[in-house]
């Protein structure tokens, strides 16, 4: 029974992560669950004029954030790699028997990718002052409340 529960839990996690990767998730798409957190704005939005003005980012901070984002860009999987992973996931789910080892390998890759995104988010947040982080948190909260009002 434990094995069945673990398998179902793993399969559910795979389905949800695959939906997020494929864009089939009808939930909030801000941040995709990465360093910004579920429902948060993507980090590159910090460099948009409107957001950077509200945060009062200095030119030095903007340059540091841009540098961090550029350095991370090379770590992101390509579109073709993402399609290949999606094909692997679909093949796993369509197979007559469940390959737990393959599922674990796919999940481990996903976890590594998310960990890299979290590290990037942390590095970017360290560029901001406490006041700017507080302002950003307020902006995120307002964005989320607007989003959920639309979907109620």
């Amino acid at each position: 029974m434990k094995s069945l529960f673990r398998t179902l839990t793993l399969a559910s996690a795979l389905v949800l992560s695959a939906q997020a990767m494929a864009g089939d998730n009808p939930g909030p798409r801000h941040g995709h669950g990465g360093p910004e957190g579920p429902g948060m704005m993507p980090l590159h939005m910090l460099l948009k004029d409107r957001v950077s003005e509200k945060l009062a980012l200095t030119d030095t901070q903007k340059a540091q954030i841009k540098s961090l984002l550029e350095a991370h860009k090379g770590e992101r999987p390509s579109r073709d790699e993402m399609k290949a992973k999606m094909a692997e996931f679909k093949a796993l789910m369509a197979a007559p028997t469940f390959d737990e080892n393959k599922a674990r390998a796919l999940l481990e890759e996903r976890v590594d990718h998310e960990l890299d995104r979290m590290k990037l988010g942390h590095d970017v947040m360290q560029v901001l002052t406490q006041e700017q982080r507080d302002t950003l948190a307020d902006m995120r909260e307002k964005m989320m409340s607007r989003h959920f009002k639309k979907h109620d």
Side-chain angles (χ1 to χ4, degrees), residues 30-135:
H30 315 290
H32 309 276
E36 307 85 358
M40 304 294 185
M41 74 175 70
L43 291 172
H44 71 273
M45 293 300 291
L46 296 176
L47 298 175
K48 299 292 182 188
D49 289 339
R50 190 169 148 207
V51 176
S52 65
E53 285 175 15
K54 280 189 177 184
L55 295 176
L57 295 178
T58 65
D59 289 338
T60 303
Q61 286 176 311
K62 289 180 198 177
Q64 288 175 314
I65 292 170
K66 186 173 183 174
S67 175
L68 288 167
L69 294 176
E70 288 295 321
H72 182 73
K73 195 178 281 189
E75 298 173 15
R76 289 190 311 217
S78 70
R79 193 171 291 251
D80 290 338
E81 290 171 326
M82 293 296 284
K83 285 182 182 179
K85 289 295 170 202
M86 182 54 75
E88 285 183 60
F89 169 78
K90 287 180 180 179
L92 175 71
M93 298 310 289
T97 58
F98 186 74
D99 183 350
E100 188 170 336
N101 291 330
K102 181 65 176 171
R104 287 183 185 281
L106 286 171
L107 281 175
E108 190 171 317
E109 288 176 26
R110 184 73 184 158
V111 166
D112 290 343
H113 173 72
E114 290 300 319
L115 183 59
D116 288 342
R117 290 183 62 192
M118 288 177 72
K119 286 178 185 176
L120 171 64
H122 179 266
D123 291 345
V124 169
M125 290 300 115
Q126 299 314 300
V127 172
L128 304 179
T129 65
Q130 185 59 50
E131 184 178 325
Q132 290 168 327
R133 286 192 289 258
D134 293 344
T135 301

